[in-house]
Amino acid sequence: MNKKTAGLSIAAGAALWGIIGLFVSNLYAIGFTPLQVVAVRAIAASIFLITYALLRNPSAFKMKLTDSKYFIGTGIISIVFFNWCMFVAIEETSISVAAILLYTAPAFVTIFARILFKEKLTTRKVLALVVTIVGCAFVVGVFPSFSGTISLFGLVVGIGSGFFYALYSIFGKFALKKYDSLTVTVYTFIFAAVAVTPFSGIWNVANLFTDIKAWIYIIGLGFLSTMMAFILYTKGLQYIESSRASIIATIEPVVAAIIGFFIFQETLQMWQYVGIIMVIAAVIIVQETSEKLPKKAMIENETSL
């Protein structure tokens, strides 16, 4: 696989993350709650990923019990809360707004990395943080009319999704020092499924699983927007640097906005599109910083949604 093909693979994975709202919104329409959709995604992803790992690399299941703390972080603290916040944000706002609020994650990663890993807070990173904040203000309608277009709750859970998504990169850095990315991803979703299922009340909606459409959306969510997205993204990362991959992955909120506009007839104001462009630009600005770091200093920080 050459760099061009690797870039296309990463773009395809990010695009599959971008269509997640298509499956989530339709599961809501059938009758599932956000927490139940989190459980459905975690369970479905676990089944698909376990099957894939068994076929491709059974050794991926080797893990020390004492290292469970890493997967409590990635699977429970990050993935469960990140998914719940994102799915609620989709319900409270729109697919496109929820997707762009999720992309506040790089700003949080920058802050966490400064506090935990003492990474240098450069001018470029500060600029990216400012652009992200202003961009989000445009997206939620604070600017230019100073009257928000979404609810405070929608804003909080939207930014919360970015916050918990960022934590995946932080916990993941520690886990990736000892395990490969497949092991981290498999156990992340296993821990997430075990943690969220008892609280989801999914057994109360057992009748919804008799609807063939529900299974189509569940398979789409677990297989396409989770497992396949992860495989394509990770495959591309083997041949291209992480920073460039992160830039390519900004296609995700663009795809989400397109899905929202053409399929769900979601409309945004002109300044909200300006905000989307600003947040994507901020992601590119902060990621380009890492290209100047020595290759040895780069730590794989990719995450799967």
Side-chain angles (χ1 to χ4, degrees), residues 119-142:
E119 291 185 6
K120 187 177 180 181
L121 194 61
T122 64
T123 301
R124 186 185 289 270
K125 290 182 179 180
V126 173
L127 175 61
L129 287 171
V130 173
V131 173
T132 297
I133 293 170
V134 176
C136 287
F138 274 105
V139 170
V140 302
V142 174

Side-chain angles (χ1 to χ4, degrees), residues 26-216:
N26 280 297
L27 286 171
Y28 288 162
I30 290 173
F32 290 93
T33 67
L35 191 59
Q36 288 165 351
V37 175
V38 174
V40 164
R41 186 188 190 191
I43 294 170
S46 295
I47 293 172
F48 287 128
L49 284 166
I50 288 171
T51 303
Y52 175 77
L54 285 172
L55 294 174
R56 295 298 300 271
N57 184 18
S59 63
F61 293 100
K62 293 181 179 179
M63 179 199 71
K64 292 183 179 180
L65 188 61
T66 54
D67 290 335
S68 296
K69 58 181 179 291
Y70 299 129
F71 307 112
I72 290 174
T74 59
I76 301 175
I77 298 176
S78 177
I79 290 297
V80 170
F81 287 103
F82 144 60
N83 277 271
W84 181 81
C85 286
M86 182 176 66
F87 295 162
V88 171
I90 290 174
E91 186 178 47
E92 287 289 319
T93 60
S94 67
I95 293 173
S96 51
V97 170
I100 205 61
L101 290 177
L102 171 64
Y103 263 69
T104 58
F108 286 117
V109 171
T110 300
I111 295 171
F112 293 150
R114 171 59 182 169
I115 297 172
L116 298 175
F117 306 119
K118 308 303 179 183
E119 291 185 6
K120 187 177 180 181
L121 194 61
T122 64
T123 301
R124 186 185 289 270
K125 290 182 179 180
V126 173
L127 175 61
L129 287 171
V130 173
V131 173
T132 297
I133 293 170
V134 176
C136 287
F138 274 105
V139 170
V140 302
V142 174
F143 297 146
S145 61
F146 295 97
S147 59
T149 57
I150 68 173
S151 67
L152 177 60
F153 180 63
L155 172 62
V156 170
V157 293
I159 293 179
S161 68
F163 175 82
F164 288 111
Y165 181 26
L167 287 179
Y168 188 97
S169 292
I170 303 304
F171 290 122
K173 279 191 175 184
F174 292 106
L176 286 168
K177 290 178 181 179
K178 302 186 69 172
Y179 300 99
D180 63 35
S181 59
L182 180 58
T183 299
V184 173
T185 304
V186 169
Y187 278 111
T188 289
F189 280 97
I190 289 175
F191 273 66
V194 171
V196 72
T197 301
F199 303 98
S200 66
I202 200 168
W203 49 87
N204 295 324
V205 292
N207 61 302
L208 299 181
F209 290 97
T210 60
D211 188 340
I212 187 64
K213 290 183 179 179
W215 285 105
I216 292 174

Side-chain angles (χ1 to χ4, degrees), residues 4 73 123 154 165 168 196 228 255 263 289 291:
K4 183 177 180 180
T123 301
Y165 181 26
Y168 188 97
V196 72
M228 284 306 300
V255 171
I263 297 182
T289 304
E291 292 183 349

